[in-house]
């Protein structure tokens, strides 16, 4: 520094500390700040000192890394300021100065969503929420200069449907510069679907419990058909035995069979004012609501009813004819009598 520059700097600093009898007030004395935040990559005198005056723009330190805080002993700060020809700064009882550099932090999930949104409904892919993103380089979070306040705007998007490889470039507007910041990401994007997955080996006859299935996201290409959700799978049976870890499709599920073929079942006959039960042997298997045939073990007649419970068949009598029904009641045999004949052993014929 030339003698002329030194003299000019000292004159400026003396102007800060010397009493000035202006029209209004005396110039306030420079004072060190105990903590500061910065956005630039350098710390200047004006960041460290209140009332720095013309010396405010003099750089003194490199800023900490983005999003981090550093501490400086006061004695060290004063020595650096003196080296920059900044003197007469009040420190009070401050022992150290903390310097925090502000940053904009983008978490891994934010970046994954940005890439998935850029690919959404393009290249044969579906909703962004169903696109799984894997970056070539592991990214836990990304810190940008705090002046990069704009949204991530995709400017170039490439995707290979066969390999699932993507290459996406974003631009972010910057408050302090006309030129936007640019970010480029590469990796793999695969459309996924939530599907119920078995936690253990399951036989065809078992009813699925909540502990038997867990929801997982699997590549959509692995599921040939509609994926079954966990809620849809619980309480159902499988159409075939399946091993643990296997994803379940809707086509793999069936209503639980409440009646098994050759099983002894209870047959309930209901009609107006009549409720009869008997035992029978199931000819068919069926789930709730299915129509099955059973064999009455007493009369050896085949009856048809609806599965209404585990091991239970219900036969509902047809409603009686209305008074204005043109069909004569003599032409129809009352249903209760017919059932009674199937349930009871024939009475011995009377001798004449």
């Amino acid at each position: 520094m030339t003698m002329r520059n030194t003299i000019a700097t000292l004159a400026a600093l003396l102007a800060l500390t010397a009493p000035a009898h202006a029209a209004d007030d005396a110039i306030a004395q420079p004072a060190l700040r105990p903590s500061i935040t910065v956005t630039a990559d350098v710390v200047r005198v004006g960041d460290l000192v209140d009332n720095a005056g013309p010396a405010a723009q003099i750089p003194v330190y490199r800023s900490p890394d983005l999003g981090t805080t550093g501490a400086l002993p006061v004695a060290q700060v004063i020595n650096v300021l003196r080296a920059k020809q900044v003197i007469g700064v009040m420190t009070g009882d401050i022992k150290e100065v903390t310097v925090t550099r502000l940053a904009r932090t983008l978490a891994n999930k934010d970046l994954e969503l940005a890439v998935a949104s850029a690919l959404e409904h393009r290249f044969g892919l579906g909703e962004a929420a169903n696109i799984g993103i894997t970056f070539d380089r592991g990214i836990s979070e990304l810190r940008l200069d705090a002046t990069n306040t704009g949204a991530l705007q995709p400017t170039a998007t490439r995707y290979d449907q066969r390999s699932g490889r993507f290459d996406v470039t974003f631009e972010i507007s910057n408050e302090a510069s006309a030129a936007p910041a640019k970010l480029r990401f590469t990796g793999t994007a695969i459309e996924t679907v939530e599907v119920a997955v078995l936690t253990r080996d399951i036989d065809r006859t078992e009813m699925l419990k909540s502990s038997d299935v867990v929801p997982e996201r699997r590549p959509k290409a692995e599921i040939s058909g509609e994926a079954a959700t966990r809620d849809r799978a619980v309480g159902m049976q499988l159409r075939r035995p399946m091993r643990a870890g296997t994803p379940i499709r809707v086509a793999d599920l069936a209503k639980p069979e409440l009646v098994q073929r050759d099983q002894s079942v209870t047959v309930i006959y209901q009609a107006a004012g009549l409720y009869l039960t008997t035992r029978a042997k199931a000819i068919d298997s069926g789930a709730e609501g299915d129509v099955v045939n059973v064999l009455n073990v007493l009369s050896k007649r085949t009856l048809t009813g609806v599965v209404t419970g585990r091991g239970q068949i219900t036969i509902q009598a047809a409603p009686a004819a209305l008074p204005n029904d043109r069909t004569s009641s003599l032409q129809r045999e009352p249903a209760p009598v017919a059932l009674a004949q199937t349930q009871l052993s024939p009475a011995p014929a009377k001798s004449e």
Side-chain angles (χ1 to χ4, degrees), residues 278-280 294-303 342-343:
T278 187
R279 298 298 294 173
V294 296
L295 178 67
N296 189 305
V297 295
L298 296 178
S299 65
K300 307 303 180 183
R301 293 182 59 182
T302 299
L303 306 174
T342 64
Q343 291 181 330

Side-chain angles (χ1 to χ4, degrees), residues 23-41:
D24 298 326
D25 298 316
I27 298 176
Q29 187 171 358
L32 192 65
R33 294 171 177 161
S35 62
I36 65 172
T37 56
V38 296
T39 57
D41 57 357

Side-chain angles (χ1 to χ4, degrees), residues 208-294:
L208 293 173
K209 303 185 295 295
S210 58
S211 59
D212 295 331
V213 290
V214 292
E216 288 186 9
R217 283 215 161 265
R218 294 287 182 92
K220 187 177 181 180
E222 291 184 4
I223 313 299
S224 57
E226 183 182 356
T229 63
R230 183 173 185 270
D231 290 342
R232 187 164 184 174
V234 173
M236 302 291 278
Q237 284 183 194
L238 299 175
R239 296 186 183 277
R240 58 186 175 86
M242 297 174 66
R243 300 186 65 83
T246 304
I248 305 172
R249 304 168 303 166
V250 171
D252 296 325
L253 297 174
K255 290 182 179 179
E257 292 183 347
L258 301 181
V259 170
Q260 302 288 332
R261 183 177 180 181
D262 295 331
Q263 176 187 356
S264 178
V265 297
T266 298
V267 178
I268 300 173
Y269 184 87
Q270 290 181 323
L274 185 65
Y275 183 96
L276 300 175
T277 64
T278 187
R279 298 298 294 173
K281 180 180 180 181
I283 299 175
D284 307 313
S285 298
E288 184 176 7
D290 289 348
V291 177
V292 297
N293 294 316
V294 296

Side-chain angles (χ1 to χ4, degrees), residues 41-44 48 59-63 72-73 76-78 80:
D41 57 357
V42 295
V43 179
R44 303 178 186 276
L48 294 167
V60 288
Y61 284 109
R62 289 187 59 83
S63 297
L72 298 168
Q76 179 183 335
V77 174
I78 295 301
V80 172

